[in-house]
């Protein structure tokens, strides 16, 4: 089947709301599921489904609203269970339809049943969507795993949350995959083992989708294995917006917008231009936006030429599409303008050139000189200086290295907070014992030299995108025998 996690989750939500058709509905969500709904459902669609009230589970109305049917979509946690029990005991809404985003433990169901004194619970169902679908092929669990590798309570809870999210994704897509994991990571091993235990031992019937072994593969990798890529400036549309402006549940905040629109929605599901150009680099993106503006101007000129009844009829028929295109043009022009201003303000192109030289270049002296020049330049923000210093330490060694010591000394003059300085001082120790830096950098030298040899050929990487993430190596190797991975 085609991978489209957004469509799967949207279908689940339509099912929830249609199962209690007829009458006004209140949609009750927890702090996590409200993010899921906001990404895949618009206010117009909620109104079409007769949802006239959206409330957080934690907020219990003072007045009874028994003319509403409550559709509750929450994670199956003890905290949420207690709030549901409080709702039921107080009989806030006329009827309750309970939907959980993952498997519900029997003891939680017993607590809910005991609290339903008024017998208002009409339905209880598991619909597997314990993840936020950002794009058709991308989802988020909306939490940070942190830096803790020890088997602490916090680390184990984080593992449980990852297992819940991934297993709900597999169930929603009806996949029972072969599972591979990064052998050097204890966290990856724990996650892979727990998912295997759930799918193959605890709930084999639930995961019985009549598939051959190996039809699908789940590869669990540790993001800490590659600290280089997150430190580099990004130059494709989606990555630039996410890093420079920030994307939260497909919403972007604009600081320098000249009009009243300070927040825009950026989703590939309803924006054809973004869908086509989200992975385009900065240069190609500028040309694409110019073409978008030119096309809109041509349409505008045609619509201004209204000289007959037929022209008026044609304009009225095309007006919704014209208005939609007008909004799309304004949105992307505003975004590009905002990105351009920040890139110039922060000298990000200059910084990126130095980053790529440190990571991909073979001239250590040149890389050192570039880094030192930028650390001494007051136009470069302290945060960019911090990333440069970390990249240089990753590439060329830890303490006792004269050049690294000079980089450290220059960095202390940039008014960084104490936490950042401590990170730089201990960075070599943090990554040295867990990360194979040779795997991170050996192939970059090769790609750098190759790109210089074919510098003017079509398809050669530009100076800002020489680096290739370690994830690409894993992606190319995924079809190797399983013994190489587990």
């Amino acid at each position: 089947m085609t991978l489209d996690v957004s469509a799967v989750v949207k279908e689940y939500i339509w099912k929830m709301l249609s199962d209690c058709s007829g009458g006004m509905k209140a949609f009750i969500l927890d702090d996590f599921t409200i993010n899921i709904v906001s990404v895949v459902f618009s206010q117009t669609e909620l109104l079409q489904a007769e949802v006239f009230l959206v409330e957080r589970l934690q907020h219990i109305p003072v007045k009874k609203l028994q003319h509403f049917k409550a559709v509750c979509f929450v994670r199956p946690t003890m905290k949420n269970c207690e709030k549901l029990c409080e709702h039921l005991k107080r009989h806030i809404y006329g009827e309750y339809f309970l939907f959980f985003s993952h498997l519900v433990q029997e003891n939680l169901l017993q607590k809910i049943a005991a609290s339903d004194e008024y017998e208002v619970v009409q339905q209880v169902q598991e619909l597997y969507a314990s993840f936020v679908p950002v794009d058709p092929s991308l989802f988020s669990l909306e939490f940070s795993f942190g830096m803790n590798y020890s088997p602490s309570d916090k680390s184990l809870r984080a593992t449980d949350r990852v297992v819940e999210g991934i297993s709900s994704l597999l169930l929603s897509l009806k996949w029972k995959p072969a599972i591979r994991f990064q052998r050097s990571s204890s966290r990856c091993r724990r996650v892979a083992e727990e998912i295997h235990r759930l799918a193959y031992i605890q709930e084999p019937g639930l995961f019985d989708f009549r598939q051959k072994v190996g039809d699908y593969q789940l590869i669990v990798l540790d993001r800490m294995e590659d600290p280089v890529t997150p430190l580099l400036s990004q130059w494709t549309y989606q990555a630039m917006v996410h890093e420079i402006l920030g994307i939260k549940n497909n919403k972007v905040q604009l600081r320098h917008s000249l009009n009243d629109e300070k927040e825009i929605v950026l989703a590939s599901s309803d924006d054809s231009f973004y869908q086509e150009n989200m992975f385009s680099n900065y240069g190609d993106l500028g040309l694409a936006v110019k073409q978008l503006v030119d096309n809109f101007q041509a349409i505008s000129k045609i619509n201004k030429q209204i000289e007959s009844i037929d022209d008026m009829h044609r304009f009225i028929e095309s007006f919704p599409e014209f208005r939609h295109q007008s909004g799309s043009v304004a949105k992307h022009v505003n975004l590009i303008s905002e990105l351009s201003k920040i890139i110039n303000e922060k000298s990000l192109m200059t910084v990126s050139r130095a980053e790529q030289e440190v990571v991909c270049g073979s001239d250590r002296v040149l890389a050192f000189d570039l880094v030192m020049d930028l650390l001494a330049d007051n136009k470069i923000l302290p945060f960019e200086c911090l990333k440069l210093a970390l990249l240089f330490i990753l590439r060329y060694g830890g303490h006792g290295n004269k050049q690294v010591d000079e980089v450290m000394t220059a960095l202390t003059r940039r008014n960084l907070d104490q936490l950042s300085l401590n990170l730089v001082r201990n960075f070599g120790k943090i990554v040295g014992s867990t990360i194979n830096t040779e795997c991170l950098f050996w192939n970059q030298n090769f790609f750098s030299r190759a790109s210089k040899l074919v510098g003017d050929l079509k398809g050669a990487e530009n100076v800002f995108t020489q680096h290739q993430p370690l994830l690409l190596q894993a992606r190319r190797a995924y079809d190797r025998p399983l013994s190489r991975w587990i």
Side-chain angles (χ1 to χ4, degrees):
M1 64 177 291
T2 302
L3 175 64
D4 190 342
V5 294
S6 298
V8 170
V9 173
K10 192 163 189 171
E11 185 179 343
Y12 275 158
I13 296 173
W14 275 119
K15 175 175 173 52
M16 295 177 208
L17 299 176
S18 61
D19 277 1
C20 56
S21 59
M24 295 189 294
K25 305 182 186 71
F27 209 0
I28 312 301
L29 307 165
D30 63 23
D31 290 338
F32 179 74
T33 56
I34 197 169
N35 296 324
I36 300 174
V37 174
S38 69
V39 166
V40 299
F41 243 65
S42 67
Q43 291 182 344
T44 302
E45 289 171 321
L46 287 175
L47 288 172
Q48 289 173 351
E50 298 181 292
V51 174
F52 296 97
L53 181 64
V54 178
E55 287 281 6
R56 290 182 184 268
L57 178 65
Q58 290 73 14
H59 174 258
I60 299 180
V62 177
K63 295 182 179 179
K64 293 181 182 290
L65 301 169
Q66 295 184 358
H67 55 294
F68 278 91
K69 297 178 180 180
V71 181
C72 304
F73 176 41
V74 298
R75 288 183 57 224
T77 65
M78 179 59 74
K79 181 179 177 181
N80 286 343
C81 175
E82 291 171 352
K83 281 295 181 182
L84 284 174
C85 291
E86 189 175 347
H87 264 272
L88 295 174
K89 288 176 181 178
R90 293 178 57 182
H91 193 190
I92 301 297
Y93 298 100
E95 295 178 348
Y96 285 79
F97 297 78
L98 308 183
F99 298 92
F100 293 95
S101 65
H102 199 249
L103 303 175
V104 191
Q105 295 179 4
E106 186 175 348
N107 64 315
L108 298 184
L109 292 175
Q110 290 174 350
K111 285 176 68 70
I112 292 172
S115 301
D116 187 18
E117 301 171 0
Y118 297 96
E119 298 183 352
V120 291
V121 175
Q122 303 298 313
Q123 184 176 354
V124 179
Q125 192 171 348
E126 296 169 348
L127 292 178
Y128 308 108
S130 219
F131 54 90
V132 178
V134 179
D135 275 321
S137 58
L138 177 67
F139 69 94
S140 169
L141 300 182
E142 293 289 299
F143 85 107
S144 173
F145 215 149
M147 295 282 290
N148 189 3
Y149 273 79
S150 61
S152 63
D153 291 340
K154 183 178 180 181
S155 178
L156 292 175
R157 286 197 300 272
T159 299
D160 291 341
R161 182 66 190 88
V162 172
V163 172
E164 176 188 323
I166 294 178
S167 58
S168 71
L169 174 75
L170 297 176
L171 286 168
S172 67
L173 296 173
K174 296 180 172 56
W175 289 0
K176 187 175 183 178
I179 303 172
R180 302 177 174 190
F181 63 89
Q182 185 178 315
R183 187 163 41 193
S184 60
S185 170
S186 59
R187 279 200 295 198
C188 289
R189 178 180 291 275
R190 287 202 301 272
V191 169
E193 288 176 347
E194 289 301 316
I195 293 174
H196 181 272
R197 183 178 295 111
L198 178 64
Y200 287 87
I201 300 174
Q202 295 177 351
E203 301 286 349
L206 198 60
F207 283 83
D208 184 12
F209 301 123
R210 308 291 181 182
Q211 297 167 357
K212 297 179 181 178
V213 176
D215 279 356
Y216 301 101
Q217 298 185 48
L218 171 65
I219 303 175
V220 186
L221 302 176
D222 195 329
R223 195 66 188 84
M224 280 292 293
E225 189 72 11
D226 177 13
V228 172
T229 303
L231 292 173
L232 295 172
S233 300
Q234 301 300 316
W235 295 104
T236 55
Y237 195 14
Q238 184 185 49
M240 288 169 63
V241 174
H242 182 53
E243 179 166 304
I244 297 175
L245 301 176
I247 304 175
K248 178 68 175 176
N249 295 331
N250 288 344
K251 295 182 178 66
V252 181
Q253 301 290 333
L254 300 180
R255 293 180 297 165
H256 300 98
S257 178
L258 298 178
N259 54 37
D260 295 333
E261 190 175 29
K262 298 297 182 182
E263 181 182 86
I264 62 175
V265 175
L266 196 63
S268 62
S269 57
D270 59 2
D271 187 334
S272 59
F273 178 83
Y274 181 59
Q275 184 181 40
E276 293 169 5
N277 294 280
M278 59 195 299
F279 304 123
S280 298
N281 64 49
Y282 191 32
D284 293 338
L285 180 62
L287 296 175
V289 171
K290 183 181 182 302
Q291 185 64 47
L292 180 69
V293 172
D294 291 343
N295 291 342
F296 179 71
Q297 288 177 337
I299 294 173
S300 299
K301 290 178 181 178
I302 294 173
N303 286 333
K304 287 179 180 178
Q305 298 172 0
I306 300 178
E307 299 175 352
S308 66
I309 298 296
D310 289 339
D311 291 340
M312 292 177 63
H313 181 69
R314 174 182 50 77
F315 174 75
I316 294 300
E317 284 186 337
S318 63
F319 183 74
E321 183 181 351
F322 175 76
R323 186 176 180 181
H324 176 77
Q325 190 167 356
S326 173
S328 177
V329 170
K331 174 171 66 175
H332 291 289
V333 168
N334 282 340
L335 263 179
I336 293 298
S337 299
E338 184 97 354
L339 290 171
S340 180
K341 287 177 182 178
I342 296 175
I343 288 169
N344 291 331
E345 287 174 2
K346 297 183 177 181
S347 303
L348 292 184
M349 284 192 167
T350 302
V351 173
S352 180
R353 188 177 289 107
E355 291 171 350
Q356 294 290 328
E357 184 60 40
V358 171
V359 173
C360 302
S362 55
D363 190 335
R364 176 170 177 167
V365 174
L366 174 60
F368 174 71
D369 290 341
L370 285 172
V371 170
M372 292 299 291
D373 288 344
L374 292 178
L375 293 182
D377 187 348
N378 291 326
K379 294 179 182 179
I380 308 301
L381 296 181
F383 182 66
E384 307 304 328
C385 293
L386 173 64
K387 293 197 298 179
L388 272 173
L390 293 176
L391 285 170
F392 192 85
I393 292 171
L394 267 174
R395 179 71 192 274
Y396 293 113
H399 294 288
N401 183 305
K402 183 179 178 181
Q403 288 181 331
V404 171
D405 291 342
E406 290 185 40
V407 169
M408 290 281 296
T409 301
L411 194 62
T412 57
R413 303 191 189 105
R414 294 309 309 265
N415 297 322
L416 288 169
D417 59 80
Q418 194 58 45
L419 182 64
S420 298
L421 291 174
N422 289 339
L423 171 64
V424 177
R425 293 190 184 100
N426 298 314
F427 197 56
K429 296 178 183 178
I430 293 172
V431 303
S433 59
T434 59
I435 295 172
N436 186 347
T437 54
E438 289 185 5
C439 289
L440 285 176
F441 296 113
W442 77 268
N443 62 326
Q444 305 304 332
N445 289 337
F446 169 78
F447 287 122
S448 177
R449 290 194 297 271
S451 65
K452 290 177 181 178
L453 288 173
V454 295
D456 295 328
L457 295 181
K458 184 178 179 179
E461 300 291 343
N462 66 46
V463 70
F464 301 109
T465 57
Q466 298 175 67
H467 173 261
Q468 294 202 4
L470 192 64
L471 182 61
L472 281 179
Q473 296 180 35
R475 176 63 183 86
R476 293 178 183 129
Y478 84 97
D479 55 351
R480 292 177 184 174
L482 292 180
S483 60
R484 296 292 301 273
W485 286 83
I486 57 176

